[in-house]
Amino acid sequence: MAMQPRLLLEEARRLASRLRPRLWGGFRVLRRRGRRRSRRSAARPRPALVRATAWAGALTVLALLMPLLLVEPRPLQRAASPGSERTAQVAPDVAPPEAGAAEQVRVYLSGTRQVERVALEQYVRGVIAAEMPSDFELEALKAQAIAARTYIVRRLLAQDASGAPDGADVTDTVAHQAYVPLAEMERRPQDAVAKLNRAVNETKDIVLTYKGEPIMAAFFSTSNGYTENAEDYWTNPVPYLKSVSSPWDQAISPRYTEQVEMGVSTVLAKLGLSANAVPALSRLLDSSNGTNHTRPEPSKHDSKLSAAAFSKDIRILSHTPGKRVEQVRIGTHRFTGREVREKLDLRSSAFEWKMEGDKVLITTFGFGHGVGMSQYGAQGMAKEGASAEKIVTYYYKGVSLDKASKLLTLNLKN
């Protein structure tokens, strides 16, 4: 068996150290003898001395060059420190998701009206690129990847293509999940794409299940401090979509609160009401269309009267466990908080309102329907050190982590 380069180098050094004193000692003896004979044989050639000197020089050169002849022609590498070895073991996987995976998703691109067929994990990357800022914490992005993957696997298993054109499984809009196409992804900054790749690769194949079935992994932007029970927004109860506190959103989300000002006539039109159905609003409209409408601003007296009338004819009757508006009465009509949110195009069904002259000032808290995982809540948890698994199991109660490939394979067999 050939010796390793390091062992050969050590052997060459030992040989050189043994030869060096002998060679130099022999050379000195020959040199002294040469001086004594110099007078007698100055005119004669000295073949023995020449040969001995040449041999000694050759051996010395050989000893010095031996390490270079025995060692491979490449620089020696330093042994990695324990710290660098650990870093190498946990090096982030930032390669793009596999394009040739068996499971494909057909995405209808609303901008080009074409269908893009992509591998499942590529689709998940496109979703988190569209649904969550790439500068979020990695664990928050991983939680989003798990939710996005669960959503599409649930649809594929159920062969549910509702809301998508023929030949597509989903659209690239929020009607399903927002999605960034492959061509646009190539134009994104490389560091951002690498981070998305890592979030997808480190959660590859992971989905959330409840009693063996993929869950409805609902998510939204920002809570009002709590998430909502599914039955309080969508009527039907879902065991894993229950209200939980989400205290992180208020501190970090730029979408936590918003104020909207609307004219009385705008509110009535959007709610589909006539002025006669809301006496307080009707009186305000009559006032603005009469002698008072020429005033640039209502008087303080008018404002107090309108606020009192408004509080009498428009009142929030109840709230949900998630602290959102459950029922509101407007004149002779009742609406759910969701209906008001959707009709008035508000950010959230957690709102409060008041009159300012002939204007309605509405303040909302949070952004989105409030059911499932709060994205800014996930970010807040990740900032505190929570893992993706801890985040998703906090917002989705009683769920388990499973493999998409297993569920899809079982579905094919059945």
Side-chain angles (χ1 to χ4, degrees):
M1 180 181 295
M3 298 181 69
Q4 295 296 325
R6 186 178 297 176
L7 297 178
L8 290 172
L9 178 61
E10 293 176 356
E11 186 64 27
R13 288 173 177 168
R14 285 196 294 271
L15 178 60
S17 63
R18 289 198 300 267
L19 288 175
R20 189 180 296 110
R22 296 180 182 180
L23 291 171
W24 285 108
F27 182 75
R28 285 193 294 270
V29 170
L30 291 172
R31 188 168 58 181
R32 287 195 297 271
R33 291 178 180 177
R35 291 194 187 103
R36 288 196 297 268
R37 295 177 182 176
S38 60
R39 294 188 182 89
R40 293 176 297 172
S41 58
R44 294 182 300 170
R46 294 169 291 177
L49 177 60
V50 171
R51 287 196 300 271
T53 303
W55 179 249
L59 288 177
T60 302
V61 171
L62 179 62
L64 293 174
L65 294 178
M66 187 175 294
L68 298 177
L69 297 173
L70 295 175
V71 177
E72 294 179 354
R74 64 179 182 182
L76 292 173
Q77 296 180 349
R78 293 183 179 181
S81 65
S84 64
E85 289 178 353
R86 286 194 296 270
T87 302
Q89 292 170 359
V90 297
D93 185 0
V94 297
E98 295 179 18
E103 196 60 46
Q104 302 280 309
V105 181
R106 300 169 301 170
V107 189
Y108 177 77
L109 306 180
S110 55
T112 61
R113 298 183 179 181
Q114 295 178 335
V115 174
E116 181 167 273
R117 184 185 291 268
V118 293
L120 174 64
E121 299 298 333
Q122 286 183 315
Y123 172 72
V124 172
R125 183 186 65 172
V127 171
I128 60 175
E131 293 280 7
M132 181 175 276
S134 61
D135 61 356
F136 267 32
E137 296 291 322
L138 178 63
E139 294 302 314
L141 291 167
K142 288 164 66 174
Q144 183 69 60
I146 294 172
R149 187 180 298 107
T150 302
Y151 174 90
I152 188 60
V153 168
R154 177 185 172 92
R155 279 181 68 92
L156 293 175
L157 287 175
Q159 297 183 348
D160 178 10
S162 59
D166 291 341
D169 301 307
V170 289
T171 67
D172 62 350
T173 70
V174 293
H176 299 110
Q177 296 188 117
Y179 168 81
V180 174
L182 295 177
E184 183 180 339
M185 189 69 71
E186 292 179 356
R187 296 191 292 268
R188 294 280 179 103
Q190 291 185 356
D191 57 343
V193 174
K195 190 175 182 181
L196 296 175
N197 290 341
R198 184 177 176 188
V200 173
N201 294 335
E202 292 186 10
T203 62
K204 183 179 179 180
D205 208 28
I206 299 176
V207 293
L208 300 171
T209 60
Y210 184 83
K211 295 185 177 179
E213 299 292 333
I215 71 168
M216 181 170 60
F219 56 86
F220 62 99
S221 170
T222 304
S223 82
N224 64 327
Y226 298 86
T227 65
E228 189 80 307
N229 290 325
E231 62 268 26
D232 293 326
Y233 196 81
W234 291 322
T235 306
N236 296 323
V238 180
Y240 47 81
L241 295 177
K242 294 299 182 183
S243 178
V244 298
S245 65
S246 187
W248 306 276
D249 307 59
Q250 183 175 1
I252 65 175
S253 175
R255 297 174 168 180
Y256 178 74
T257 186
E258 181 185 50
Q259 282 195 335
V260 178
E261 188 180 81
M262 296 185 189
V264 172
S265 59
T266 302
V267 172
L268 287 176
K270 288 188 173 185
L271 292 175
L273 298 175
S274 66
N276 292 332
V278 188
L281 297 181
S282 177
R283 288 192 293 272
L284 282 173
L285 285 175
D286 291 342
S287 175
S288 64
N289 290 329
T291 57
N292 292 334
H293 89 285
T294 58
R295 293 196 310 238
E297 294 292 339
S299 68
K300 292 183 179 180
H301 178 68
D302 289 339
S303 297
K304 289 180 180 179
L305 289 177
S306 61
F310 182 84
S311 63
K312 179 180 179 181
D313 283 357
I314 303 178
R315 181 175 297 179
I316 295 174
L317 302 176
S318 60
H319 289 84
T320 67
K323 313 301 181 185
R324 290 164 177 81
V325 173
E326 181 178 37
Q327 291 284 330
V328 59
R329 189 190 70 206
I330 302 176
T332 58
H333 292 262
R334 285 196 179 201
F335 297 89
T336 65
R338 176 183 177 179
E339 289 173 331
V340 173
R341 179 208 171 198
E342 293 176 352
K343 289 178 181 293
L344 299 185
D345 195 25
L346 304 178
R347 283 186 171 184
S348 169
S349 58
F351 58 81
E352 58 188 27
W353 50 15
K354 64 180 180 178
M355 291 295 298
E356 289 195 351
D358 61 349
K359 302 291 185 182
V360 182
L361 184 64
I362 305 173
T363 303
T364 59
F365 303 92
F367 191 2
H369 50 64
V371 181
M373 182 181 71
S374 164
Q375 292 173 314
Y376 272 94
Q379 171 71 347
M381 292 185 69
K383 281 182 171 292
E384 292 181 355
S387 66
E389 180 178 351
K390 185 174 181 179
I391 292 169
V392 294
T393 54
Y394 176 78
Y395 283 107
Y396 305 110
K397 291 303 182 184
V399 301
S400 302
L401 273 63
D402 212 330
K403 290 187 176 295
S405 56
K406 183 188 78 173
L407 299 175
L408 293 167
T409 302
L410 289 174
N411 186 61
L412 288 175
K413 288 181 179 180
N414 294 332

